[in-house]
Amino acid sequence: KLILLDSLLQEIWFESSMMSESDSDLGIIPNIMSRVNNKIQLHKHRKDADTDEESLYKTTHHKVKKMNKKKRVLLKDGLTYVTYKNISKKRRRYISDLYTTLLDSSWTYCVLMFTTSFYGSWILFAGIYYFICYLHGDLMEEHLPSAKSDWVPCILETDGFAACFMFSLETQHTIGYGTRQASTECPDAMFVVSVQAVLGCIIQAFMVGLVFSKLSRPRNRSKTIIFSNHAVITLRNNKLCLIIRIGDLRDDNFVLGTQISAKLLRGKISLEGEVYQEMQSLTINPDTTSESCIFFVWPLDIVHVIDKNSPFYTMNAADLARERFELLLIMEGTNETSNTTFQARYNSISIRINCC
């Protein structure tokens, strides 16, 4: 501020000295005051611009630092580490696709759900049978099977809730021990028996289909596809190459229609300060787009030549250790035995790439 004021005073003295004696001192005052105001406004604008630039630099630096501390997107077992938040009706969307949700759930949850559904249906229908027998008078002491009377109950050999539960269990699973059965005295009991038989078939069919689908899922096939623990950057045929090794543990089960792709995932910051994820495809060899089948007779080397078109061209060993990115390798093929398509995924972060 003192420097700005001193420069303004010098300009005022210079202009007053250049004035002729006939000029009025009062005529120059408005001109000088307007110039002083313009100088002050320009100085404030430059100061605000410098402050905004400094704050933008600090914000960008903070975003880069925070972005480098993020966890990996893809885990070593191929599962993603992405969580969606602030999604409206998220649970309802999962329930609307219940079959896929159950396929993705654990075995413990599936077994618990089916056990609950079976026991719930047994107890529910046992309560209905008990209520029907109670209204019909079958549970009165003189009508019990131990009384040896001529009374015909709705369900034979029924004297309480335990007997109704056993009848419900035998009806739903068509066990039929031969002593406890429904009679023609109660049409409502006959109708409930038919409804339980249909519901029991639906539950069993759903359970068998879900268990078969979980056992035959191609995800288990991908567990026998192994990748190297580290990616290596080294010279091959006088070219700097990024090499990842992949192999199939099953020597009697070929993978048909193999497609292999490599992608580089890293965080970027736009000129406006927006943080986004950039996914860039890498050129690899062998190029599976021109081959219908890759023969895994021994471990296969996936080679990416680091040339001018490669995103690693401007990086050195220090940059690889400092910059955070993820190298994703995706293999997709068809299992020869089950004719199902599976996908094996590999992830390598920057600190797991060795330079040789």
Side-chain angles (χ1 to χ4, degrees), residues 181-238:
Q181 59 184 337
S183 64
T184 57
E185 288 291 326
C186 302
D188 48 357
M190 298 168 57
F191 176 75
V192 174
V193 168
S194 62
V195 172
Q196 186 179 9
V198 174
L199 182 62
C201 291
I202 294 175
I203 294 177
Q204 290 181 5
F206 190 79
M207 182 193 69
V208 172
L210 183 61
V211 171
F212 177 77
S213 299
K214 287 182 70 67
L215 290 176
S216 60
R217 292 193 74 181
R219 181 182 297 178
N220 296 328
R221 179 63 178 91
S222 62
K223 293 182 179 180
T224 55
I225 303 295
I226 57 175
F227 299 87
S228 56
N229 294 328
H230 298 270
V232 177
I233 296 180
T234 185
L235 286 175
R236 175 173 287 190
N237 297 328
N238 293 328

Side-chain angles (χ1 to χ4, degrees), residues 93-154:
R93 296 175 189 271
Y94 277 104
I95 294 176
S96 62
D97 190 12
L98 182 61
Y99 190 74
T100 306
T101 303
L102 293 177
L103 281 178
D104 294 334
S105 61
S106 61
W107 279 102
T108 304
Y109 180 81
C110 289
V111 171
L112 181 61
M113 187 197 66
F114 282 121
T115 302
T116 305
S117 63
F118 277 124
Y119 273 94
S121 61
W122 296 340
I123 294 174
L124 174 63
F125 282 99
I128 296 175
Y129 293 138
Y130 183 84
F131 183 70
I132 293 175
C133 294
Y134 178 79
L135 293 179
H136 190 256
D138 298 340
L139 301 180
M140 298 177 64
E141 189 174 355
E142 60 271 15
H143 296 160
L144 293 178
S146 60
K148 304 297 181 181
S149 61
D150 296 334
W151 178 263
V152 180
C154 295

Side-chain angles (χ1 to χ4, degrees), residues 274-318:
E274 178 187 1
V275 179
Y276 65 96
Q277 296 293 330
E278 180 189 42
M279 185 175 293
Q280 185 175 0
S281 299
L282 303 179
T283 304
I284 59 175
N285 186 30
D287 186 8
T288 57
T289 57
S290 59
E291 296 187 39
S292 60
C293 182
I294 295 181
F295 191 56
F296 281 103
V297 66
W298 50 66
L300 182 67
D301 289 341
I302 307 299
V303 181
H304 167 68
V305 179
I306 303 177
D307 52 9
K308 294 183 178 180
N309 298 323
S310 174
F312 301 105
Y313 185 74
T314 58
M315 296 185 185
N316 53 25

Side-chain angles (χ1 to χ4, degrees), residues 45-184:
H45 180 71
R46 290 178 179 177
K47 184 177 180 181
D48 293 339
D50 295 338
T51 305
D52 294 339
E53 184 178 359
E54 184 179 358
S55 62
L56 179 61
Y57 172 76
K58 291 182 179 179
T59 305
T60 305
H61 181 70
H62 177 70
K63 288 181 179 180
V64 172
K65 188 176 180 181
K66 185 178 180 180
M67 182 175 59
N68 289 337
K69 290 183 178 180
K70 284 187 176 181
K71 298 180 180 179
R72 60 174 63 191
V73 176
L74 193 68
L75 301 179
K76 292 298 293 182
D77 55 359
L79 299 178
T80 57
Y81 199 76
V82 179
T83 303
Y84 294 95
K85 295 183 178 180
N86 300 326
I87 304 297
S88 62
K89 301 178 182 179
K90 182 178 180 180
R91 293 183 179 272
R92 186 180 301 178
R93 296 175 189 271
Y94 277 104
I95 294 176
S96 62
D97 190 12
L98 182 61
Y99 190 74
T100 306
T101 303
L102 293 177
L103 281 178
D104 294 334
S105 61
S106 61
W107 279 102
T108 304
Y109 180 81
C110 289
V111 171
L112 181 61
M113 187 197 66
F114 282 121
T115 302
T116 305
S117 63
F118 277 124
Y119 273 94
S121 61
W122 296 340
I123 294 174
L124 174 63
F125 282 99
I128 296 175
Y129 293 138
Y130 183 84
F131 183 70
I132 293 175
C133 294
Y134 178 79
L135 293 179
H136 190 256
D138 298 340
L139 301 180
M140 298 177 64
E141 189 174 355
E142 60 271 15
H143 296 160
L144 293 178
S146 60
K148 304 297 181 181
S149 61
D150 296 334
W151 178 263
V152 180
C154 295
I155 302 175
L156 303 180
E157 300 297 328
T158 302
D159 56 358
F161 183 80
C164 293
F165 179 80
M166 290 300 299
F167 177 74
S168 175
L169 174 61
E170 295 169 13
T171 300
Q172 185 165 331
H173 295 281
T174 64
I175 297 175
Y177 290 114
T179 58
R180 189 173 292 108
Q181 59 184 337
S183 64
T184 57

